[in-house]
Amino acid sequence: MAKRRNRGRAIDGVLVLDKPPGCTSNEILQRIKRMYGAAKAGHTGSLDPLATGVLPLCFGEATKFSQFLLDADKAYVVKAKWGERTDTSDADGEVVERCSTDGLTQAALLPVLEQFTGEIEQIPSMYSALKHNGQPLYKLARQGVEVERPARKVRIHSLELLEFDATHFSLAVSCSKGTYVRNLVEDIAAAMGNLAHVVELRRTQAGPYTLEQAVTVETLSQVLDSGGHKALDELLLPLGTSADHWPELELSESTAFYLRNGNPVQIPGAPVEGWVKMIGPNQEFIGVGEVLDDGKVAPRRLISNSN
């Protein structure tokens, strides 16, 4: 009889990882999952191998809320090089076109940045994780295949110019889900009559999580070596932090009972629309809900111990 495989530890919480360069989000997820010996874990949206910064990893019950973090707003600091376009739109690719950078000025760039603030349309790069007939676009691109990609609407909340010279420029970008910063850089350069590609990309925020909360792989290794799994677990943030960017509602015992049984309820002080974080009568995190057209709050994701 075959020995039953150890499925790992049942742990719940969110780790805000400072993703290192040179690996995919899934590769680093699997590495951290092994370090924790966790039974269940998932990430909250891909970062390119070149990119670093905030990558929330969800363990156990927290995976129920990973989609909401995937859909949340993001913030980045990006550095781009003028005068060159690459096949991947970043420094990991091959240069396919060059142009002169003569005449580029900061004064000309600032009004262009204003044009790209607000709702814009982007055509996703072939080097993205979007799928065509079940196949990731980046895999098709590596095979030399290009397919038509419909434009997608995204929102750029703010664009701040951090640095500018004749060879590079850096931006702080706050944006909606689905924004491709590589495409944004190329489009800004095109509006300047020039070319550009990303050389550095660092995510500074994902939903409620920021770089200040992020932990490096090196720190995790040191903590594991010195304190084992117990010490690692202390770095996990509570499940409820995944909904900290939404209004919080405190429930009475009866209201919590009905919500736990899947019933929409009327809650005093609830917003008129959108998503809410729900806190039980003992200040415990219950889950998240959505305000319906009639003003009631419907449960959308509940943690298991609230059932």
Side-chain angles (χ1 to χ4, degrees):
M1 183 176 177
K3 185 177 180 181
R4 186 174 180 179
R5 185 179 178 184
N6 184 359
R7 294 173 179 253
R9 299 191 305 133
I11 54 174
D12 302 314
V14 179
L15 178 74
V16 185
L17 181 71
D18 186 346
K19 176 192 170 293
C23 60
T24 67
S25 295
N26 189 59
E27 286 169 348
I28 197 63
L29 167 68
Q30 298 307 321
R31 180 178 172 185
I32 303 305
K33 184 181 177 183
R34 288 192 297 270
M35 290 175 67
Y36 269 88
K40 187 176 184 180
H43 65 71
T44 56
S46 296
L47 280 175
D48 297 333
L50 173 141
T52 66
V54 175
L55 180 65
L57 303 181
C58 296
F59 291 87
E61 285 289 290
T63 58
K64 291 181 176 180
F65 307 97
S66 58
Q67 182 61 45
F68 302 115
L69 293 172
L70 178 64
D71 292 342
D73 289 346
K74 311 291 192 304
Y76 301 87
V77 170
V78 59
K79 183 175 183 179
K81 183 178 181 181
W82 290 112
E84 293 180 349
R85 182 172 69 86
T86 71
D87 55 2
T88 61
S89 306
D90 62 28
D92 284 343
E94 298 293 326
V95 176
V96 293
E97 188 178 0
R98 289 186 171 90
C99 71
S100 171
T101 60
D102 292 344
L104 289 174
T105 66
Q106 180 172 321
L109 177 58
L110 291 175
V112 169
L113 296 183
E114 292 183 10
Q115 297 172 24
F116 284 88
T117 304
E119 188 173 84
I120 65 171
E121 288 194 343
Q122 286 190 326
I123 298 177
S125 167
M126 277 298 299
Y127 284 87
S128 70
L130 291 178
K131 292 185 177 180
H132 175 76
N133 294 332
Q135 185 85 332
L137 290 181
Y138 66 83
K139 289 189 176 181
L140 295 174
R142 289 168 184 165
Q143 299 166 15
V145 176
E146 182 165 349
V147 298
E148 186 174 347
R149 289 97 62 204
R152 301 175 6 153
K153 289 183 178 180
V154 297
R155 178 165 289 278
I156 308 299
H157 302 303
S158 65
L159 278 176
E160 180 186 357
L161 182 63
L162 302 177
E163 296 178 333
F164 176 91
D165 59 39
T167 57
H168 295 88
F169 66 101
S170 298
L171 302 171
V173 184
S174 175
C175 57
S176 68
K177 69 169 185 176
T179 301
Y180 289 96
V181 179
R182 291 175 299 169
N183 296 56
L184 179 65
V185 162
E186 283 192 330
D187 292 344
I188 289 172
M192 292 281 289
N194 213 274
L195 303 170
H197 68 272
V198 170
V199 293
E200 295 176 14
L201 181 62
R202 186 155 176 77
R203 188 153 71 187
T204 57
Q205 185 167 357
Y209 300 116
T210 66
L211 266 180
E212 286 71 26
Q213 298 164 293
V215 182
T216 65
V217 176
E218 291 75 19
T219 296
L220 290 171
S221 296
Q222 292 168 5
V223 170
L224 179 61
D225 290 342
S226 61
H229 284 149
K230 182 178 180 180
L232 274 185
D233 292 350
E234 292 177 358
L235 298 175
L236 296 178
L237 300 178
L239 296 174
T241 59
S242 60
D244 277 352
H245 52 314
W246 290 331
E248 181 177 299
L249 296 179
E250 293 190 13
L251 313 179
S252 65
E253 192 168 330
S254 61
T255 300
F257 172 82
Y258 286 110
L259 276 167
R260 285 167 173 155
N261 284 279
N263 300 305
V265 295
Q266 201 80 43
I267 304 177
V272 296
E273 62 181 3
W275 293 82
V276 294
K277 175 182 179 180
M278 301 187 299
I279 303 296
N282 297 316
Q283 296 300 302
E284 76 278 19
F285 175 62
I286 288 178
V288 300
E290 184 179 14
V291 181
L292 304 178
D293 291 339
D294 62 3
K296 291 183 177 180
V297 177
R300 292 303 187 218
R301 288 288 188 280
L302 303 179
I303 62 175
S304 290
N305 61 15
S306 71
N307 291 325

